[in-house]
Amino acid sequence: MKRKIFVNLFFEKKSYLMLYIIIITLFTVYIGLQSIFLEKQFQQSFYPDVVINGSMDEDGVMRYKLYRDIDGVVNELDNTVPDNVNYQKLVERNLLFVNDGINQIEYRVLGMNDKDISIFSNYLSQGSSLPSNGKKEVLLGAYAARYYKLNIGDKIQIGLSLDKDNDAASEGEYTVCGILNDNVDYFKGSLIMSKDTWSNQYGEVADNTILFYFKNDEEYKNVMNSIDALSKENSAKMNLMSNYANNRSAKELFYNNVKFIIALSIVAIIVLLFFLIRGMKKKVGLLKALGLPEKNVIKIFCGGLLLITIFALVLSIGFEYLFVNMLNSKSSSFYGFAVKEYFVNRYSFIAILGVNLINILVATITVISFEKRISPYDAMLSF
């Protein structure tokens, strides 16, 4: 009886009910996928604002060495830059420079301390882990894994060293512990190893690269002034790459997309509510005229709407996983190993649950309002 009242009275026809389920499912899938795409877009902004290092060897002769190496300059910058600035000092060694006419890819060994390596924990592909302290393990960028045809657990059959002279580079000593997903653009061609582990086994090695991540324009300008002053004394050495403007543009685009999706969600919620509450005043009044208790009217509407929403949520989450798996499958086929560029993340769940909860809440308040205000007599007159 309750099911018939809900379907035939509130929705009038089963076809309208099916149409509502289709609409809310498609809308929920759209919101969920947009949240997934936005997280990917935000992750891709994980790119150093400023990089200072030596130049890669493009002719393949100076393996493990950089032109214009800046060992001493990094220490000078470390003493100049304020403590509140986010930056990383690391050791960079040249492996290979590839220019295929489309992409210019720098394959390089990076020695980072364990604390800095931990920033990659949110960017790992399936089955990956970070290098463990004390173990000869390497974290690969996506391009590096594809170029050297390496998977997780493989031994790396090239010599890896943080020394300029390659004295300690022995083939087959290091194991691949993880592969970064495709969202970490700057490190795609990198083979990342623990500088702490290297230092314990072979001794300290001087940093020759520094990466900056700025919070705002003021911080960027202040540090750049310090760098400019230092570069006058080391102009023959310093190789500076600034991606600050591009990073800010990417983040601005990200926030604009977030605003657009919020605005679209508001419009969609209004349309869905209009669909739900059209003629609701007469329908509630009719049920009251037939002697149905007030609590039962609310329970029938809210309970039915909740069941429909749960069903639509299950469908939408299933479609999201299917779509995401299709995208990741294509990426994995391209790279030759399992890659997860897209994730059904917590933001996706929060977005779809939030939108549907707001829809249910407003619709319920509207029904309660109608139920309190209209009398059976007024309802009968409106027919």
Side-chain angles (χ1 to χ4, degrees):
M1 180 67 179
K2 291 180 179 180
R3 182 178 64 83
K4 289 184 177 180
I5 291 174
F6 180 75
V7 175
N8 298 327
L9 183 62
F10 286 114
F11 282 92
E12 298 177 5
K13 297 180 182 179
K14 288 185 179 179
S15 58
Y16 288 166
L17 174 60
M18 294 302 298
L19 179 61
Y20 177 80
I21 292 175
I22 292 171
I23 291 174
I24 195 171
T25 300
L26 291 176
F27 172 63
T28 303
V29 169
Y30 173 80
I31 291 298
L33 290 177
Q34 288 302 314
S35 300
I36 292 169
F37 295 147
L38 283 173
E39 187 187 33
K40 174 179 170 60
Q41 183 181 353
F42 185 78
Q43 286 185 343
Q44 286 179 326
S45 66
F46 174 57
Y47 197 102
D49 291 318
V50 170
V51 179
I52 300 177
N53 58 2
S55 299
M56 292 292 290
D57 170 29
E58 298 185 15
D59 55 22
V61 176
M62 290 181 59
R63 195 175 184 190
Y64 293 97
K65 297 182 181 180
L66 296 175
Y67 289 123
R68 300 187 299 175
D69 214 343
I70 58 167
D71 296 4
V73 178
V74 170
N75 291 329
E76 291 183 58
L77 280 171
D78 189 28
N79 296 327
T80 304
V81 175
D83 293 335
N84 62 334
V85 175
N86 183 16
Y87 65 96
Q88 300 167 349
K89 298 187 299 176
L90 53 135
V91 181
E92 181 176 346
R93 298 294 178 229
N94 171 41
L95 281 181
L96 184 67
F97 181 88
V98 175
N99 186 352
D100 60 7
I102 299 175
N103 296 307
Q104 294 183 356
I105 306 169
E106 299 175 348
Y107 295 100
R108 56 206 171 173
V109 180
L110 297 183
M112 305 177 69
N113 63 47
D114 294 338
K115 181 181 178 182
D116 288 338
I117 289 179
S118 66
I119 64 174
F120 297 115
S121 59
N122 294 324
Y123 303 93
L124 299 175
S125 63
Q126 187 175 6
S128 296
S129 62
L130 299 175
S132 301
N133 186 273
K135 294 184 179 180
K136 291 187 175 183
E137 295 180 334
V138 172
L139 179 65
L140 301 181
Y143 281 10
R146 183 176 62 138
Y147 183 82
Y148 291 106
K149 298 180 181 178
L150 292 168
N151 289 301
I152 297 170
D154 289 349
K155 291 289 185 180
I156 302 176
Q157 298 304 322
I158 58 173
L160 299 182
S161 174
L162 294 184
D163 287 333
K164 294 181 182 181
D165 299 324
N166 192 19
D167 291 336
S170 299
E171 297 181 1
E173 283 193 0
Y174 282 85
T175 304
V176 178
C177 64
I179 299 171
L180 296 172
N181 65 43
D182 191 51
N183 299 333
V184 191
D185 286 338
Y186 180 74
F187 299 94
K188 282 182 178 179
S190 300
L191 293 82
I192 303 168
M193 55 198 295
S194 169
K195 186 173 61 175
D196 297 333
T197 298
W198 177 274
S199 299
N200 291 333
Q201 294 178 346
Y202 301 105
E204 295 289 336
V205 59
D207 297 310
N208 64 345
T209 296
I210 187 165
L211 313 177
F212 288 98
Y213 302 88
F214 299 112
K215 300 183 186 71
N216 49 52
D217 292 345
E218 182 180 358
E219 190 174 272
Y220 169 72
K221 291 176 181 177
N222 290 337
V223 172
M224 288 305 294
N225 288 335
S226 299
I227 293 173
D228 289 340
L230 189 61
S231 66
K232 293 177 181 178
E233 304 173 7
N234 300 275
S235 58
K237 289 186 176 182
M238 292 183 66
N239 179 46
L240 186 148
M241 181 189 70
S242 177
N243 199 56
Y244 182 77
N246 290 337
N247 284 348
R248 290 300 167 271
S249 296
K251 288 181 180 179
E252 186 176 341
L253 178 62
F254 168 81
Y255 291 122
N256 287 337
N257 288 339
V258 170
K259 293 175 185 177
F260 171 77
I261 292 173
I262 291 174
L264 184 64
S265 299
I266 293 172
V267 172
I269 290 172
I270 292 172
V271 171
L272 288 171
L273 286 173
F274 178 79
F275 186 88
L276 280 174
I277 67 176
R278 60 189 178 86
M280 185 65 69
K281 191 173 183 180
K282 295 180 182 180
K283 297 170 185 177
V284 172
L286 177 60
L287 291 175
K288 291 183 68 174
L290 293 174
L292 199 67
E294 295 180 1
K295 291 183 178 179
N296 286 5
V297 174
I298 297 172
K299 285 181 179 179
I300 290 172
F301 177 78
C302 295
L305 186 58
L306 181 61
L307 288 175
I308 290 174
T309 302
I310 292 173
F311 178 69
L313 283 174
V314 172
L315 282 178
S316 62
I317 291 172
F319 282 127
E320 279 184 39
Y321 274 105
L322 180 62
F323 192 74
V324 165
N325 286 335
M326 288 173 58
L327 291 175
N328 287 329
S329 178
K330 289 183 178 180
S331 298
S332 298
S333 298
F334 173 75
Y335 288 115
F337 55 85
V339 171
K340 290 185 70 175
E341 297 181 355
Y342 302 91
F343 310 87
V344 180
N345 51 68
R346 65 181 181 275
Y347 303 110
S348 174
F349 286 114
I350 292 172
I352 62 178
L353 286 174
V355 167
N356 283 282
L357 284 175
I358 292 172
N359 184 45
I360 292 174
L361 181 61
V362 176
T364 301
I365 292 173
T366 304
V367 170
I368 293 174
S369 175
F370 286 158
E371 197 276 335
K372 295 293 183 183
R373 287 186 299 167
I374 190 169
S375 67
Y377 177 77
D378 293 334
M380 296 301 295
L381 288 178
S382 62
F383 281 94

